[in-house]
Amino acid sequence: MIIQRVVLNSRPGKNGVPVAENFRLEQSTIADTVQAGQVRVKTLYLSVDPYMRCRMNEDTGSDYLQPWQLSEVADGGGIGVVEESKHQNLAKGDFVTSFTWPWQTAAILDGDSLQKLVPQLVNGHLSYFLGAAGITGLTALLGIREKGHVATGANQTMVVSGAAGACGSLAGQIGRLEGCSRVVGIAGTDEKCSILVQEMGFDAAINYKKGDVAKQLRELCPGGVDVYFDNVGGDISDAVISQMNQNSHIILCGQISQYNKDVPYPPPLPADIEKIQKERNITRERFLVLNYMDKQEASVLQLCQWIQEGKLKVRETVVEGLANIGAAFQSMMNGGNIGKQIVSVSK
């Protein structure tokens, strides 16, 4: 069977900025027959995520992320429909997902590696299982619950950097749902800031490309910052940490501003910021959602309930066609999208 697939064409280098040309679309084949325990799937949606930048390097800098190999098919979160099955728990027509879905139009996969999806849980929006009701939503929810120490009635202020991105846009809303009394987002355009406030319920948003971020934070968070959901690192995070309260908490979700730099993860803080962190007893611990998979099922059901009730607003940037996945990745790394970046492969 003839298929199309996307392979890693070249590496941007540890300090390079990824471009669409780092990926290559090519024609390939898969077997015509399905073996026992396998299923043949048609790919519907693929997820494009910031962590994938690390997989473009020979050394990902992480013990849980494997590098993509040159001229080999890339992979990540994906959703598809079963077209043929020889697995006892999966039937033709079932919708399934995997965190290691190959970037190709169709595939033969081990049925045990797939999770069956229930579209009704997300009002039929299957792609939500890659974002708000998937690993992205889990990262936001479990990050806040496990590392944020949010308590209803505690009058806590949360700041979210990368707030218009896939995880940040959910984290601010979940912070509110979990009990924060004030939520402030940081994003890169006036449009994104407007969406955060008007659509997603943030109290305020800062365009970091305009004006003094530290000054705006002081004005918008007069009581200081109690919880910081950190997606970006770098200068923005330094400005937030400098205004955090005693015994406050940093949820170390991502450091996207540092992904094109050859630095350890998490990147070390500047000496003056590290001093503030220690003096104020601010927690800053590495957070990995995969360490909390025992809470996955209950957490996904909570996310789906919020979506169904309209309490969790979802934004997606959808790019059509497998051929455009490299461009979608480049756009995401340049901060060009709002919400989750999804590639629609076939309908």
Side-chain angles (χ1 to χ4, degrees), residues 53-329:
R53 173 62 185 86
C54 303
R55 301 192 67 189
M56 299 180 79
N57 296 336
E58 286 186 85
D59 178 7
T60 65
S62 170
D63 54 5
Y64 67 91
L65 286 179
Q66 296 300 311
W68 287 327
Q69 300 300 319
L70 289 172
S71 295
E72 295 293 331
V73 66
D75 69 293
I79 290 172
V81 60
V82 175
E83 294 194 313
E84 182 182 353
S85 175
K86 289 189 178 179
H87 188 277
Q88 59 182 357
N89 297 326
L90 296 172
K92 182 178 180 180
D94 283 346
F95 295 106
V96 290
T97 186
S98 167
F99 195 56
T100 56
W101 197 285
W103 285 8
Q104 51 193 57
T105 51
I108 293 176
L109 303 175
D110 179 355
D112 288 340
S113 70
L114 301 171
Q115 180 181 356
K116 191 187 297 188
L117 299 175
V118 181
Q120 292 85 349
L121 289 175
V122 287
N123 300 326
H125 294 284
L126 270 175
S127 57
Y128 285 7
F129 284 114
L130 293 178
I135 199 75
T136 310
L138 285 171
T139 300
L141 177 58
L142 291 172
I144 289 168
R145 287 183 171 176
E146 300 296 329
K147 298 295 185 181
H149 303 276
V150 172
T152 301
N155 196 32
Q156 291 164 298
T157 293
M158 171 186 278
V159 171
V160 183
S161 58
C167 197
S169 61
L170 299 172
Q173 298 179 75
I174 292 171
R176 171 82 76 203
L177 291 166
E178 289 289 286
C180 285
S181 59
R182 185 165 180 77
V183 179
V184 176
I186 303 174
T189 70
D190 289 342
E191 179 193 9
K192 290 178 179 180
C193 290
S194 177
I195 289 170
L196 291 174
V197 174
Q198 296 180 16
E199 185 176 314
M200 297 183 173
F202 284 62
D203 292 285
I206 296 169
N207 181 348
Y208 70 85
K209 295 180 180 178
K210 288 185 175 181
D212 186 327
V213 172
K215 179 182 178 184
Q216 293 178 77
L217 279 169
R218 284 192 295 271
E219 294 171 352
L220 295 172
C221 307
V225 178
D226 302 293
V227 185
Y228 174 37
F229 200 99
D230 186 5
N231 285 305
V232 302
D235 293 342
I236 289 173
S237 288
D238 295 346
V240 178
I241 294 169
S242 68
Q243 297 182 52
M244 294 188 74
N245 293 325
Q246 194 75 23
N247 302 319
S248 53
H249 304 282
I250 299 169
I251 302 165
L252 195 59
C253 178
Q255 301 282 277
I256 194 170
S257 72
Q258 309 297 302
Y259 285 170
N260 294 325
K261 301 176 183 178
D262 185 12
V263 294
Y265 187 87
L269 296 171
D272 57 332
I273 302 300
E274 185 178 16
K275 182 180 179 183
I276 290 173
Q277 181 207 345
K278 290 180 177 178
E279 288 178 347
R280 299 181 191 172
N281 193 34
I282 302 169
T283 63
R284 184 181 184 255
E285 302 166 343
R286 185 172 183 173
F287 170 73
L288 180 60
V289 70
L290 298 177
N291 290 338
Y292 301 94
M293 285 297 97
D294 59 315
K295 301 180 180 181
Q296 176 185 9
E297 185 175 352
S299 298
V300 168
L301 289 175
Q302 173 66 86
L303 292 163
C304 290
Q305 180 181 336
W306 282 336
I307 291 169
Q308 289 175 337
E309 293 172 349
K311 293 179 178 177
L312 194 60
K313 303 293 194 301
V314 182
R315 270 275 186 156
E316 292 180 324
T317 300
V318 180
V319 173
E320 299 287 339
L322 185 63
N324 296 314
I325 199 166
F329 187 85

